Amino acid sequence: MKYFFTACLLCCCTLLLAQTGTLTGHVADESGKAVESAHVQIGGTDKGTATSATGDFQFSNLQPGSYQLVVTGVGYQSIKHTVTVSENKEATVKLFLRESMQQLQTVEIFGRKETSYKNDVSFIASKTATPLKDIPQSIAYVTKEVMSDQGVYSIGEATKNMSGVNQFTSYDDLTIRGFRMNGGSTTQLFNGLRTFTGFWKQSPVNYLERVEVIKGAASALYGNSSPGGTINRVTKKPLATPQKSLQFSTGSFNTTRLLADFTGPMNDAKTLLYRLNLGYVDAQSFRNLQFDKNLIVAPSVSFLPSERTRINVDLVYNKSNSRLDRGQSVRGNDLYSSSIATALNAVNDYLKQDTYLITTSINHQFSPRTSINLAHLRTGYSEDLLEHRSSNVNAVDSAGKAIDNLVARQVFVRQTKSFMDNLSVFLNHTATLGRTEHKLVVGYDYIQSSTPKGAGQQTASGYLLKAGGAAAYNAKRPDLYQFYTYTNNGISRSIPRPNVPSYDLTLQNNILEDPTKYTYAAVTNNSTSASFYSLHGIYAQEQLTFNRLQLLLGLRIDTYIDRKGYTTPSETNVTQHAILPRIGAVYTLTPNINAYGTYTKGYNPQDATTQSDPLSGGPFDPIRSSLAEVGLKTEWLDGRLVANLALYDITQSNTLYSANATDNPNLLLQIGKEQARGIEFDMTGSIRPNWNLIVTYSYNDAKIIDAGTRAADQALVNLQKPNAPKHQGSLWTKYVFTAPALKGFGIGFGGNFVDQRNLSLNNTQTIPAYTLLNAAAYYRIDKFQLQLNVNNLTNTTYWVGGYDYLRLFPGSPRNLLTTVSYTF
């Protein structure tokens, strides 16, 4: 009997084995190269494996039937493939993965291959490669293709394509949703790392892949930041496919540009890639005496020692020679009383700047689900300045009364250097638990910024004294001052002799001055005082997906340490702490529409220099802010066209404003509360493959709602914030003809409008609204493209921003730029 049962058991086992099959496969990329460590999962089961070094995988003892394979790999888009397994047979599949930008990394390591106005993925909002439609916050961006088609060279020109972003002045100085954010602050981002640019010049864009802005405070991931938004500059990265381009441009104001962009592999294995961007710009200006010469060298190298590791080293060096433009001055309250070309410089003024940014980043995948990111950015800036500029007031007569056609001038001679380091390390891990997917980010930031000892400034200002030296004019003691005879319109009178010759708006006296004749005094300010601060931040973030719902939960703890009295025997640490939560949600309403909401808090510490300045009126509390935002993100026309709608409410407390005290220009007021409420709309992409479109609009009600207890400050309440238009918008479209008779020909057209704005240092002065129209034409012949851009078609007179009517920043009159490009 036992032999009978044994035989039956053997028969059953044999039958069972005969009913199973084997599945083998090979995974490769689009070029046919094997993909190692790709994860292959049998859908609906716990069976999974990883591909070998040759890209192969195998599953044994599979019951006959159909199976869905889910294949994922770091650096590639996931795919699903159905395969049928037959009994006692081996099924074989060959699968191909396409490269993807959706990586677990803090900085963009992989070069962007798209060549359109639309960008699908951003790293700035979550430190993971997240599709923009899945980010619970508004992200604005401008790609290199837009900037190239519009002939854009600087950041300020690019931002006209973003809703809610406006120039505060012509410097690297913007308002985002009504809150100021400029290059002098250390809260800008460069490939997702903290940096600064220097205040006086806008950054060039020829080495950038795109410019993007995360709207609202980005404090939960990056520490202290502007409540309106944070700018991130994303550089072009090396590509595995060789590409080369040369570009020459010439146009109005004696503009000459030479740009080059080369990229490709440096070895046959394509484990060493390079990119080199070069730029030389020599341009005059519609503004008297203004010019700008720039040399930009931006090399980048990527090393791929294995499929799991990538190392990038990027350098951007910018050498700039120019004059510092302090703006246009007008008589009294008449904006049109002087030409928009009016500048107060002397012929021998100069501004020499050197800036470098060195980034080293490493991305390593321990497994398809876990990676670590380590990055360091070093920023260096030096400035050598001589300038004749406004003293921010008119010259006075013997009675101390302002003379409206004479602008009092002062001279600054300054040399300074600043440095900044940002070290960032964090771990990313993804997991699937039941029906939920999780992305966890845990990280640490260290940031330090310093102005070393050795910087200095000499200032010449005031009126000459009979006893020698100079001082502010005191109308009660005219006997102390030197006088001279001033003649205007045939009328002569005796007025105080200035230390620096006043600028006569009638004579337009831009001449070669002799700075050695002036009486100087050493001045200490934020630009020249030795300073040092450091920031330690730890943070954690969870992105959870459950069916149609995505949640984002984040928390950051910051410790900000400012060294008061840096490099002096009395040096002490001023420490401030902040806990910064963030919560967001995205819900998929339809395959084309996502709804989102977010709430986050932000802060900015008051620097030790302001805190300790006895003339400022401090000490002051840190600036605090919060953002509440809801909106819709949509995709249309097979994903070619995207549109975003956002409604937001931002509050900020403890902001510092100038007290406008004539006897103490350093005196500041800490305003109780500001609020910005608004709506923004952005549409970007292509209606057809040959028809690109950008449309933006924003309404922003940004005002002070609590000015404290002083009666004099109540005039600020409900006043629209400086250089923050209530309404602004833009349109740009490019169409390339496809008819054989017009093959290679394209046209572009657009414009932007900006509402009336208040100025920042005068509560009653405003600058008018404006609308600009721009056009372009393109003609491509094989590898060559000819391009003509005409800006401000109607030759409108307008101002991009300003402080008051002695420091206005006019925009360019009608101008054109002709470009020849060669791609090979």
Side-chain angles (χ1 to χ4, degrees), residues 737-773:
F737 293 92
T738 57
L742 295 173
K743 184 179 179 180
F745 183 66
I747 56 174
F749 179 78
N752 63 293
F753 72 91
V754 177
D755 203 1
Q756 174 181 289
R757 286 138 293 147
N758 296 322
L759 298 181
S760 60
L761 295 182
N762 189 300
N763 298 336
T764 62
Q765 293 177 338
T766 63
I767 47 179
Y770 65 86
T771 299
L772 303 181
L773 298 177

Side-chain angles (χ1 to χ4, degrees), residues 504-555:
D504 194 322
L505 292 171
T506 303
L507 299 177
Q508 300 278 306
N509 52 314
N510 302 100
I511 62 174
L512 187 71
E513 302 283 5
D514 185 358
T516 64
K517 294 180 179 179
Y518 308 146
T519 297
Y520 291 90
V523 173
T524 300
N525 53 35
N526 288 342
S527 298
T528 60
S529 299
S531 63
F532 183 99
Y533 85 76
S534 60
L535 178 69
H536 300 266
I538 57 173
Y539 55 90
Q541 177 185 273
E542 158 75 331
Q543 290 174 273
L544 181 152
T545 302
F546 177 73
N547 292 333
R548 295 184 176 187
L549 178 64
Q550 300 177 67
L551 294 178
L552 187 150
L553 305 172
L555 182 68

Side-chain angles (χ1 to χ4, degrees), residues 407-441:
V407 181
R409 285 197 299 183
Q410 55 188 327
V411 167
F412 286 179
V413 180
R414 181 167 65 230
Q415 293 185 359
T416 185
K417 294 182 178 181
S418 298
F419 302 94
M420 189 171 186
D421 291 274
N422 184 183
L423 176 66
S424 174
V425 58
F426 69 87
L427 190 73
N428 272 1
H429 180 71
T430 63
T432 301
L433 301 176
R435 298 172 61 185
T436 62
E437 297 178 5
H438 302 262
K439 288 184 180 180
L440 178 65
V441 180

